[in-house]
Amino acid sequence: MLDLLLLVVGFAVLIKGADVFVDSGVGIAKKLKIPSVIIGLTIVSLGTSAPEAVVSITASLKGEASLAIGNIVGSNLFNLLFVVGLCALMKPFAVILKEIAKDFWISIAATVILLSAMVFFSENIPQWFAVVMLVFFAVYIALLIRQAVKNPVTDSPDESEAKTRSMWFNVLGAILGCACIVIGGQVAVTGAKNIAVAFNISERIIGLTVLAIGTSLPELVTSVVAAKKGESGIALGNVVGSNIFNILFILGMAGAISPLGIDMNLLFDTAALAISSLVAIVFIYTKSRITRSEGFALILMYVGYMTYVIVK
């Protein structure tokens, strides 16, 4: 009963935190004349990925590599298939290819890098390779910042609300919102993990399902709130940015701390992530938007994957 209460309270804190975080993120973007998709790819995605960072790095320190990698791969699949699919079902959103295509391809490249490392090294992802992943992430963030500085957005008609709030107010709101997201995510994950452990579920399954979904609640709530507010750039940018952050930074940090032992069963899950990423980018390129039918297809893919993982 207590674990169920933790799950409910954590989710409630997540929802309120995400609402404040999105509003503040949009306010900061408009004050600095930065495209909202850049905010989604950086500030929002880094904030919502905090639970994954805590869980995976802690798992690495405890020598639970399958839990660390499974959490990241499972979270990325949930983000890509379920979160994007649900947002599209709620409100189909247009995609500005020049703003998101490059980052989507980087997300796919990061997945392929992880998959290749698992195949090539077979037993352990060495620490030096994890450091290389961190360097790639640093370069990516530097390029994003450079892009934002070089291409400021012009004033828009809906900027009046942002002008009524000071920059400090928006920054404070972003910090408080992020704190609620992290705390709510941790509380929800604790409750969910305790419930799963009570049923004797394996470490890999816990990482791919309960922990993956639990630590992805911030991305889910933040993207859904952003989509409802018509901020499709933040909704999609949050998912793509989080997936890049999860693999290159979180697994990079976890692997730099301690070599990541490879569970070969995770090869299938990582390959599923790569294939799902290709399907999603095809949807984006065909109509420069994600329709309700495509969103439904993404959710069906996730349900099919989860069914296979659990029943297998």
Side-chain angles (χ1 to χ4, degrees), residues 157-187:
D158 63 339
E159 202 176 27
S160 57
E161 183 180 350
K163 288 182 177 178
T164 63
R165 298 178 176 180
S166 69
M167 175 59 79
W168 286 112
F169 184 89
N170 286 320
V171 170
L172 179 61
I175 293 173
L176 291 176
C178 185
C180 287
I181 288 171
V182 174
I183 294 170
Q186 283 299 102
V187 171

Side-chain angles (χ1 to χ4, degrees), residues 245-265:
F245 180 80
N246 286 348
I247 292 178
L248 294 183
F249 182 77
I250 296 178
L251 281 186
M253 282 292 293
I257 292 170
S258 175
L260 292 172
I262 300 170
D263 180 348
M264 297 310 290
N265 289 321

Side-chain angles (χ1 to χ4, degrees), residues 30-205:
K30 290 177 178 178
K31 286 287 185 181
L32 298 178
K33 301 187 184 302
I34 296 174
S36 61
V37 69
I38 299 295
I39 293 294
L41 286 164
T42 53
I43 297 174
V44 176
S45 65
L46 299 187
T48 56
S49 287
E52 285 94 333
V54 172
V55 169
S56 289
I57 292 174
T58 300
S60 176
L61 288 170
K62 293 180 178 179
E64 300 171 340
S66 293
L67 199 62
I69 299 176
N71 176 41
I72 294 304
V73 173
S75 292
N76 282 15
L77 275 164
F78 182 79
N79 290 343
L80 184 66
L81 298 179
F82 189 84
V83 175
V84 173
L86 183 60
C87 288
L89 271 180
M90 290 173 49
K91 187 175 183 179
F93 51 84
V95 178
I96 302 176
L97 285 176
K98 67 178 182 179
E99 288 187 349
I100 199 68
K102 171 176 62 67
D103 304 282
F104 218 116
W105 282 113
I106 290 173
S107 175
I108 293 174
T111 303
V112 172
I113 287 173
L114 175 60
L115 183 61
S116 301
M118 294 172 73
V119 172
F120 184 76
F121 296 113
S122 72
E123 292 185 0
N124 291 285
I125 297 177
Q127 289 171 294
W128 67 264
F129 190 85
V131 172
V132 171
M133 293 170 69
L134 289 173
V135 171
F136 283 156
F137 180 74
V139 171
Y140 168 69
I141 292 297
L143 290 175
L144 273 183
I145 294 173
R146 182 183 174 211
Q147 177 186 340
V149 171
K150 288 181 64 177
N151 303 295
V153 295
T154 56
D155 291 348
S156 57
D158 63 339
E159 202 176 27
S160 57
E161 183 180 350
K163 288 182 177 178
T164 63
R165 298 178 176 180
S166 69
M167 175 59 79
W168 286 112
F169 184 89
N170 286 320
V171 170
L172 179 61
I175 293 173
L176 291 176
C178 185
C180 287
I181 288 171
V182 174
I183 294 170
Q186 283 299 102
V187 171
V189 166
T190 299
K193 183 178 179 181
N194 290 341
I195 292 171
V197 170
F199 289 92
N200 296 317
I201 301 173
S202 72
E203 183 179 290
R204 169 176 170 260
I205 299 299

Side-chain angles (χ1 to χ4, degrees), residues 209-250:
T209 56
V210 178
L211 279 184
I213 295 173
T215 55
S216 288
L217 286 178
E219 284 91 342
L220 170 64
V221 178
T222 301
S223 288
V224 166
V225 170
K228 287 179 65 177
K229 293 176 181 289
E231 294 289 344
S232 59
I234 285 183
L236 188 58
N238 173 40
V239 168
V240 175
S242 291
N243 283 10
I244 294 172
F245 180 80
N246 286 348
I247 292 178
L248 294 183
F249 182 77
I250 296 178

